[in-house]
Amino acid sequence: MMKPSTLIAFTLMGVLSFTGCQSKKQYKQQKARQETIQADMVPDIKMNDINGNNTSVKAEVAKNKITIIDFWASWCGPCIKETPSVVALYDDYHAKGLGIIGISLDEDEAAWKQAVDKLNMKWTHLSDLQGWDNAAAQLLDVRSIPHTIVVDRQGTILAQGLRGDDLRRFIAGELE
């Protein structure tokens, strides 16, 4: 028989895997903001890449037919669980024009870099190391992770919040 504390931990892990890691901030005006973002272009966000180089999201997006902007963090269990699916998607569609920009909500630079390396995430990675106060996450109203925003080469937002098979089907539909 499992100890009650172990049972609670497993239950919490299951809930987090299903829902994603949640911000503690209020969800005021989220629906209205999400509707605005749906029809918008992704703004030209600039932040440092994993090597410390100032990088423009718009410039990275322009290099690909379609780009997934993937908000995640090394401490987020659901993000780590989703990563093999994203790696496989990248491997299958990169040659056909898929790019990915990982935007980390980490605060610990070493943990961020170690996770990128360990998980074999070969795409562009950005972070301002501000956690939930990440400038891009704030600007795009990201309230939970993992969270994806799919854009075309001009930066037009095509879809948001897709994961797993839904994300794969959408990318396949755009690139095949």
Side-chain angles (χ1 to χ4, degrees), residues 153-174:
R153 110 175 26 222
Q154 291 77 34
T156 302
I157 297 172
L158 304 174
Q160 291 194 66
L162 299 176
R163 292 167 56 180
D165 291 339
D166 292 334
L167 181 58
R168 178 170 280 281
R169 274 190 293 277
F170 185 83
I171 298 301
E174 294 292 316

Side-chain angles (χ1 to χ4, degrees), residues 37-79:
I37 291 170
Q38 291 284 351
D40 267 350
M41 304 280 283
V42 72
D44 191 15
I45 302 160
K46 294 180 182 171
M47 69 180 57
N48 287 342
D49 69 13
I50 203 159
N51 298 313
N53 302 311
N54 193 19
T55 303
S56 160
V57 168
K58 283 272 193 173
E60 289 298 312
V61 162
K63 295 176 184 178
N64 309 292
K65 290 180 185 173
I66 193 167
T67 302
I68 299 168
I69 302 172
D70 182 25
F71 288 87
W72 72 289
S74 67
W75 47 261
C76 170
C79 299

Side-chain angles (χ1 to χ4, degrees), residues 27-40 141 160:
Y27 287 87
K28 292 180 193 174
Q29 302 172 342
Q30 180 178 1
K31 185 173 181 179
R33 178 68 180 131
Q34 290 292 6
E35 289 170 2
T36 302
I37 291 170
Q38 291 284 351
D40 267 350
D141 203 34
Q160 291 194 66

Side-chain angles (χ1 to χ4, degrees), residues 10 17 58:
F10 280 123
S17 331
K58 283 272 193 173

Side-chain angles (χ1 to χ4, degrees), residues 69-130:
I69 302 172
D70 182 25
F71 288 87
W72 72 289
S74 67
W75 47 261
C76 170
C79 299
I80 301 307
K81 185 176 179 181
E82 184 78 11
T83 299
S85 172
V86 178
V87 169
L89 187 63
Y90 183 79
D91 289 345
D92 292 346
Y93 287 97
H94 180 64
K96 294 180 180 183
L98 174 65
I100 300 178
I101 301 170
I103 298 183
S104 172
L105 300 191
D106 277 287
E107 293 178 4
D108 182 336
E109 184 175 10
W112 170 43
K113 290 179 175 183
Q114 181 180 11
V116 167
D117 185 50
K118 180 180 177 183
L119 297 168
N120 200 28
M121 299 163 72
K122 303 173 211 166
W123 48 86
T124 300
H125 291 276
L126 307 176
S127 185
D128 57 13
L129 299 172
Q130 297 300 307

